Amino acid sequence: MNPILFAAVLAISLAGCAATADLSPAYALHEKQPEGLAIVSLTLTGKALDKMSGFEYRIREVPPRDEEAVVATSRYASARQHARSLQDGGSRRQTDHRAIVKEANGIEPLDIRDATKTTGRLATLRLPPGDYEFHAWKASELNAYGETEYGPPRDFSYRFSIEPGVATYIGRLSLNLSERNTQRITVEDRRNDDLAILREKYPAIDIGQIVFGVGTLHP
């Protein structure tokens, strides 16, 4: 493959879906910052999280309503122009994100427990302003033959909004994955538990300025 075209294809694949990193412990959100924060706890019940090799949720931007949408298409005269556009940030921002709960060699602590079991972690997602939705999940489990990957048969929708310079608590998103391979997702307001964890992890974030936007899950 042409090296320039290969670079463009690689950049597209990386831009299409990227992990949303957590914050440094000293992070502080200010009202003049261009991004906002979504604070959400992500858990797995039914199957034991410690037996899973990977678990993540997928997030995407919600497009504007049809009457507000504008179709914008970038056209390039060459693969070189395409690669340069992607290197410079392209004509569109990141639209698909991975909120990782557990992965191989992951460094983020699993800090949510149910009795004696670790079930998930508190995630702080730094995102540009806009409307978003959790729409899919993926879980992987090692077995004697390799690995089994689980996922929903169809997308769901849990929507939330991001405003610049604002931290929004959007609840606890919990997947129950049974041993019979059935699944059920729920959303709960667990602010007391979750914000206690947040206070320990990010003492520079003012808990009193967090807004609450726990919404409704749609299948």
Side-chain angles (χ1 to χ4, degrees), residues 132 149 212:
Y132 296 84
E149 184 174 291
F212 299 98

Side-chain angles (χ1 to χ4, degrees), residues 150-172:
Y150 305 96
R154 64 189 65 85
D155 281 0
F156 62 93
S157 177
Y158 180 57
R159 295 191 173 189
F160 62 97
S161 297
I162 293 293
E163 297 182 16
V166 176
T168 304
Y169 173 72
I170 60 174
R172 177 168 295 183

Side-chain angles (χ1 to χ4, degrees), residues 29 37-39 124 165-170 191 194-196 198-199 202 205-213:
L29 184 65
L37 289 182
I39 301 165
T124 47
V166 176
T168 304
Y169 173 72
I170 60 174
R191 69 180 71 178
D194 292 341
L195 296 187
L198 182 77
R199 186 179 291 108
Y202 306 108
I205 295 179
D206 186 349
I207 300 295
Q209 293 184 347
I210 293 175
V211 302
F212 299 98

Side-chain angles (χ1 to χ4, degrees), residues 10-22 56-61 92-101 103 121 124-128 132-135 138:
L10 178 61
I12 291 172
S13 65
L14 292 175
C17 185
T20 301
D22 271 19
E56 66 181 52
Y57 283 93
R58 292 287 178 90
I59 304 166
R60 63 189 174 196
E61 288 182 273
R92 63 179 182 88
R93 69 188 185 198
Q94 181 75 42
T95 58
D96 200 28
H97 307 265
R98 296 161 59 215
I100 295 173
V101 181
E103 65 176 349
R121 75 180 189 88
T124 47
L125 311 175
R126 183 166 51 181
L127 296 166
Y132 296 84
E133 66 180 355
F134 287 86
H135 67 96
K138 182 176 73 172

Side-chain angles (χ1 to χ4, degrees), residues 2-152:
N2 182 293
I4 296 175
L5 182 58
F6 176 78
V9 171
L10 178 61
I12 291 172
S13 65
L14 292 175
C17 185
T20 301
D22 271 19
L23 311 173
S24 67
Y27 179 87
L29 184 65
H30 304 288
E31 60 181 12
K32 293 184 179 179
Q33 287 178 244
E35 78 273 5
L37 289 182
I39 301 165
V40 58
S41 53
L42 305 169
T43 65
L44 174 69
T45 59
K47 290 183 180 291
L49 183 59
D50 60 3
K51 294 182 179 180
M52 309 303 287
S53 56
F55 179 42
E56 66 181 52
Y57 283 93
R58 292 287 178 90
I59 304 166
R60 63 189 174 196
E61 288 182 273
V62 177
R65 293 175 298 179
D66 290 343
E67 64 269 23
E68 298 175 348
V70 173
V71 177
T73 303
S74 297
R75 303 193 182 278
Y76 307 96
S78 67
R80 186 182 298 276
Q81 287 185 357
H82 195 182
R84 186 182 302 121
S85 171
L86 291 169
Q87 184 177 3
D88 293 339
S91 59
R92 63 179 182 88
R93 69 188 185 198
Q94 181 75 42
T95 58
D96 200 28
H97 307 265
R98 296 161 59 215
I100 295 173
V101 181
K102 182 181 180 181
E103 65 176 349
N105 304 316
I107 61 173
E108 297 297 339
L110 298 173
D111 44 26
I112 296 176
R113 302 182 64 83
D114 180 9
T116 61
K117 296 180 180 179
T118 299
T119 59
R121 75 180 189 88
L122 182 75
T124 47
L125 311 175
R126 183 166 51 181
L127 296 166
D131 296 321
Y132 296 84
E133 66 180 355
F134 287 86
H135 67 96
W137 56 267
K138 182 176 73 172
S140 303
E141 183 179 30
L142 296 175
N143 58 43
Y145 310 102
E147 191 174 68
T148 301
E149 184 174 291
Y150 305 96

